[in-house]
Amino acid sequence: MTALLEAPPAVKRAEPRKHRRKMIGWAFAAPFTALFLIFGLLPVVASLVMSVTDMRATDLRTPLAVNFVGLDNYTRLFSDDLFVRSAINTLIFVVVGVPLTIVAALAAANALNSGLIRFRALFRVGFYLPVVTSIVAIAVIWRFLLDPQAGLVDNLLARIGVDGPAWLQDTRTSLGSLTVMAAWRNFGSLMVIFLAALQGIPQDLYEASRLDGAGRWQQFRRITIPLMRPALLFGAVITGIGYLQLFEEPLVMTQGGPLSSTLSVSYHIYNQFGFGNYGYAAAASYVLFVAIVALSVLQFRLLGQRDD
Amino acid sequence: MTRDRLAKISLYGILSAGLLVVVGPFVWMLLSSFKPEAEIRSVPPTWWPSTWTFDNYRTLFDRLDFPQYFTNSVIVAVLVTVGNLLFCSLLGYALAKLDFPGRKALFLTVLGMLMVPGMVTFVPQFVLVSNLGLANSYAGLVLPFLAGPFGVFLMRQFLLAIPDDLIEAARIDGAGEWRIFWRVVLPLCKPALATLGILTFLSSWNNFLWPLVVATTDDKYTLPVALALYSIGQNRMYFGLLLAGAVVVVIPVLIVFLALQKHFMRGIATTGLK
């Protein structure tokens, strides 16, 4: 303050104004930042701390009076058969579901971009419809569609002479059913992203390659795919992040069954929270968090390697 | 020429089949919600109801508490949306147009939050909200969602594209910072605010995990929570009831989506997120 008062007049005028500017910036940032610190950042840190304690539901009112247990929760996790099972299920769901969703989205985007003008908006809106609807409602609908007796799917199959399985009640088809349903629900959002990317590809590239005698498939492989790389990478990353958090579908459709064949990591965490094992649930959630970051980094490495 | 025509027809054929697979289940849900219970269970299933009935909806609204769940969903979604519009545009403006210490660090921290799964935060959030005495209250349902990182990202990106001259001109005219924000910046942001408002309302309407944990009694359930609990609880055997419940969850969103779909598409195409 004294330094400020002793400064030459020119600076004296500039300094308070600069200081004021800084205050204004923070004044605008403050409301969000306060809420964000309390309900966003604090819980992220608290979760990490909880994961190395033996906190249980009975400690709800005294969250600071818990015991430090080191990495016990984490070592217990990896010897917990249910957690390992849920991790394998989730991994299968991601590894099969992400490519399936991307292929469906890519096919839809290319079909809608291939010179077809009429009804384009109708198809786009239709394909996007499941994305905006509640997963719980969709899970309710699909549970009925996949019903072995009165369900639409098996009855349509019966018409062409196929004896459809009990999709959600059979351990061989339960996880696969949820995977296909997730692709069905989510490909629309990737389609919109891919459509935007496709429209950014200059048409003269296709014309030039046509003069060189390239066929449709070659054009798709040599021009479309390489130029869509950033969009594909982005799509793979956000779909992967979403699919790793699989939760509502098994909760509503299968309750994790039959025989834990659809138990996901998130569902397992939710169950452990329900049993009151807060520290244990927090540890499992951090493993999921690390998996999400790792998957994103891996995808950037694998798919983004040719980017400069 | 004929080959082109053939290609075009098969393309339309494939797209229409795809549309049927995607939209068909919704049509079936809507039609079946007007069927009596016995018809829903009939083998083979019907598409068009042979007898129309409103019984499922009557039970939902008279015997069960669906009007209450509906009101709860609206209250929570409106509060969350208003909060995000206000707080995210304030911070988005500060990040895009004002210089202050810690600006970059703040932006990166908020952005990093987009990667954090809901499962990581919900247990400590529950402990926090319980200790604040807000469990099973509207405040408890709303507070953790008032300041979403996605909105900050969207508003900042949009504001970066607005020329500084407009804001400088207002400043030279002697307008105060608050007035500039309210009278100059916000009106320019209308398209971004529309996109953010719709996306936030939608994600709040469909939000599931948090209300499932925080709402512990019937009078605070939101629609998805009620629907999920009914579909795994004792009422799970009433197919018609559940389908009518799904219609009540889905229809308001469909109306909003169909009316304002250009904002959706823009939001997704510009930010890549939903």
Side-chain angles (χ1 to χ4, degrees):
Chain A
M1 261 303 156
T2 37
L4 198 72
L5 290 172
E6 281 159 12
V11 182
K12 198 172 150 187
R13 240 182 301 144
E15 271 303 305
R17 189 192 278 173
K18 209 175 159 194
H19 183 68
R20 219 187 125 240
R21 275 279 171 85
K22 283 177 185 168
M23 295 308 291
I24 288 165
W26 269 111
F28 277 94
F32 183 99
T33 309
L35 281 165
F36 178 74
L37 285 178
I38 298 168
F39 292 103
L41 212 53
L42 175 69
V44 173
V45 177
S47 194
L48 186 62
V49 175
M50 276 167 69
S51 76
V52 292
T53 70
D54 61 354
M55 183 165 181
R56 295 187 41 80
T58 42
D59 304 310
L60 183 61
R61 296 286 162 197
T62 51
L64 299 177
V66 291
N67 299 311
F68 175 74
V69 294
L71 296 177
D72 274 12
N73 286 326
Y74 290 93
T75 48
R76 256 177 66 208
L77 261 181
F78 289 99
S79 54
D80 174 352
D81 288 342
L82 269 184
F83 176 76
V84 174
R85 185 68 207 263
S86 73
I88 293 171
N89 288 342
T90 309
L91 215 60
I92 294 173
F93 179 76
V94 171
V95 168
V96 179
V98 172
L100 195 64
T101 312
I102 288 181
V103 168
L106 203 55
N110 273 288
L112 288 184
N113 201 45
S114 57
L116 167 129
I117 312 291
R118 266 195 218 169
F119 304 122
R120 186 150 99 182
L122 173 78
F123 286 118
R124 206 178 53 173
V125 168
F127 290 155
Y128 196 72
L129 214 63
V131 180
V132 297
T133 42
S134 150
I135 304 187
V136 177
I138 282 178
V140 165
I141 301 169
W142 274 93
R143 219 180 70 191
F144 294 127
L145 293 177
L146 294 176
D147 188 271
Q149 272 91 46
L152 214 52
V153 174
D154 275 356
N155 279 283
L156 286 177
L157 284 178
R159 235 181 244 187
I160 55 167
V162 178
D163 192 15
W167 301 99
L168 298 173
Q169 288 82 31
D170 189 327
T171 50
R172 287 166 303 176
T173 49
S174 52
L175 189 59
S177 304
L178 294 192
T179 313
V180 172
M181 196 192 90
W184 173 89
R185 177 174 189 264
N186 290 297
F187 83 95
S189 76
L190 288 190
M191 176 197 72
V192 175
I193 296 168
F194 291 168
L195 258 177
L198 277 175
Q199 279 153 7
I201 299 177
Q203 282 304 309
D204 38 337
L205 282 179
Y206 290 106
E207 271 154 42
S209 72
R210 192 151 45 230
L211 293 179
D212 289 344
R216 281 269 170 108
W217 176 245
Q218 264 187 318
Q219 285 181 335
F220 180 73
R221 272 198 50 201
R222 309 264 173 203
I223 302 172
T224 312
I225 292 293
L227 285 174
M228 280 185 71
R229 203 179 194 82
L232 286 169
L233 169 66
F234 181 76
V237 171
I238 58 162
T239 312
I241 291 177
Y243 282 9
L244 272 174
Q245 300 178 57
L246 173 70
F247 175 61
E248 285 96 336
E249 294 93 331
L251 178 85
V252 174
M253 296 174 75
T254 59
Q255 284 86 65
L259 298 172
S260 302
S261 61
T262 56
L263 185 73
S264 69
V265 172
S266 288
Y267 198 178
H268 186 61
I269 295 169
Y270 175 75
N271 282 338
Q272 289 301 320
F273 168 77
F275 299 148
N277 302 325
Y278 289 5
Y280 191 67
S285 77
Y286 252 85
V287 172
L288 180 66
F289 187 15
V290 169
I292 285 174
V293 174
L295 180 82
S296 310
V297 171
L298 184 75
Q299 283 175 322
F300 270 103
R301 282 277 163 81
L302 286 179
L303 299 165
Q305 60 197 170
R306 273 186 246 161
D307 281 1
D308 288 321
Chain B
M1 277 304 124
T2 39
R3 229 188 110 196
D4 259 19
R5 246 190 104 122
L6 202 70
K8 204 160 186 179
I9 288 170
S10 58
L11 193 64
Y12 268 111
I14 293 167
L15 280 170
S16 305
L19 196 65
L20 197 70
V21 171
V22 175
V23 180
F26 291 102
V27 177
W28 182 80
M29 161 193 77
L30 188 63
L31 290 173
S32 294
S33 70
F34 294 105
K35 294 173 191 166
E37 190 70 18
E39 195 185 335
I40 296 176
R41 291 163 182 273
S42 69
V43 180
T46 55
W47 270 97
W48 203 253
S50 53
T51 29
W52 290 79
T53 171
F54 284 94
D55 280 359
N56 296 322
Y57 291 96
R58 216 166 280 146
T59 313
L60 222 52
F61 283 88
D62 292 346
R63 211 162 58 79
L64 302 175
D65 250 347
F66 267 70
Q68 179 71 53
Y69 310 145
F70 194 92
T71 315
N72 292 343
S73 273
V74 171
I75 291 173
V76 170
V78 166
L79 289 176
V80 168
T81 305
V82 171
N84 270 281
L85 288 178
L86 181 64
F87 299 134
C88 295
S89 55
L90 281 171
L91 179 56
Y93 172 62
L95 290 174
K97 296 295 176 195
L98 301 172
D99 193 21
F100 59 97
R103 177 171 80 155
K104 197 166 181 191
L106 182 61
F107 178 57
L108 289 177
T109 313
V110 172
L111 208 58
M113 198 70 190
L114 278 172
M115 284 257 270
V116 180
M119 279 291 160
V120 166
T121 46
F122 98 93
V123 182
Q125 274 175 347
F126 179 74
V127 175
L128 177 66
V129 164
S130 301
N131 280 295
L132 292 173
L134 300 174
N136 206 28
S137 73
Y138 289 127
L141 285 168
V142 167
L143 273 172
F145 294 93
L146 280 184
F150 167 70
V152 173
F153 180 63
L154 191 141
M155 293 311 295
R156 175 184 174 269
Q157 295 310 100
F158 186 85
L159 277 156
L160 280 178
I162 286 178
D164 289 340
D165 308 0
L166 287 168
I167 297 161
E168 270 314 314
R171 214 167 260 148
I172 288 164
D173 286 347
E177 292 293 332
W178 181 246
R179 203 182 148 82
I180 292 173
F181 174 76
W182 212 243
R183 292 288 170 85
V184 180
V185 175
L186 273 191
L188 288 169
C189 287
K190 266 183 198 154
L193 289 171
T195 302
L196 177 61
I198 295 156
L199 293 179
T200 310
F201 187 89
L202 195 77
S203 74
S204 177
W205 184 269
N206 292 338
N207 191 17
F208 180 62
L209 174 63
W210 183 248
L212 177 69
V213 168
V214 169
T216 47
T217 57
D218 218 34
D219 61 320
K220 291 295 185 300
Y221 287 167
T222 58
L223 280 173
V225 173
L227 185 62
L229 292 180
Y230 278 123
S231 67
I232 59 180
Q234 288 168 338
N235 280 315
R236 70 170 173 276
M237 287 311 162
Y238 298 102
F239 287 9
L241 222 54
L242 293 179
L243 285 174
V247 171
V248 174
V249 177
V250 168
I251 290 297
V253 159
L254 286 198
I255 292 169
V256 171
F257 169 61
L258 292 177
L260 304 168
Q261 48 117 348
K262 75 168 201 252
H263 293 290
F264 274 94
M265 300 300 172
R266 188 172 48 211
I268 291 141
T270 52
T271 63
L273 289 155
K274 54 170 196 283

